[in-house]
Amino acid sequence: MATEESQFQLVTFHLGEELYGVNIMDVKEIVRLQNVRVIPNAPYYVEGIINLRGEIIPIIDLHKRFRIQSVSKNDSDFEGGFIILNIDNSKIGIIIDKIARVVTIKGEDVKEPPQMLSGIGSEYIEGVIREDSGYLIMLNIRKLFNAKELQKIIEIQ
């Protein structure tokens, strides 16, 4: 968790009805939705791979990982894409329904996550930030996958 006096930036995005954020320092880039090539025998939450400028990047569906409803691609609110994250020197893409914005957060505004939040295990959540329209869930990308899962994802590359 961030120290009380620190400030940091989050890239925020929507998954279903919820607003999530990841530390901007973990984000390599944001790309438009493109065709994902399915990989046989991949874990259930791995959608497949994309070729991004000659680099093969595994794509993770956090909707499946968190067991939440995704927005229909036909919905007028759908502006999906991928956020390419850098996790331990490996690039992994996550599917998002809609990018929101980059926000600056004060460490003192980050509250401990409740035990269960919208069906997502608290082990994935770094903290919760209250906003006027609800709350922002700050994800800890290093805890999204255990070491064995991360190794399996990296092997897909």
Side-chain angles (χ1 to χ4, degrees), residues 117-132:
L117 187 63
S118 299
I120 301 172
S122 61
E123 67 267 22
Y124 306 135
I125 301 172
E126 182 95 14
V128 177
I129 299 106
R130 282 193 89 38
E131 292 196 323
D132 295 336

Side-chain angles (χ1 to χ4, degrees), residues 57-115:
I57 299 177
I59 301 297
I60 307 302
D61 189 341
L62 291 183
H63 299 93
K64 291 178 182 175
R65 182 70 175 173
F66 295 161
R67 292 178 176 83
I68 57 174
Q69 187 72 30
S70 60
V71 174
S72 167
K73 289 179 177 63
N74 299 325
D75 190 321
S76 62
D77 205 30
F78 181 78
E79 298 174 21
F82 307 117
I83 294 179
I84 309 301
L85 301 170
N86 190 357
I87 303 176
D88 299 331
N89 295 319
S90 295
K91 291 187 183 94
I92 296 175
I94 58 172
I95 298 172
I96 60 169
D97 292 332
K98 183 178 180 181
I99 194 72
R101 62 189 198 280
V102 174
V103 296
T104 301
I105 303 293
K106 294 178 187 171
E108 64 200 39
D109 293 337
V110 179
K111 305 299 179 209
E112 289 290 323
Q115 290 298 67

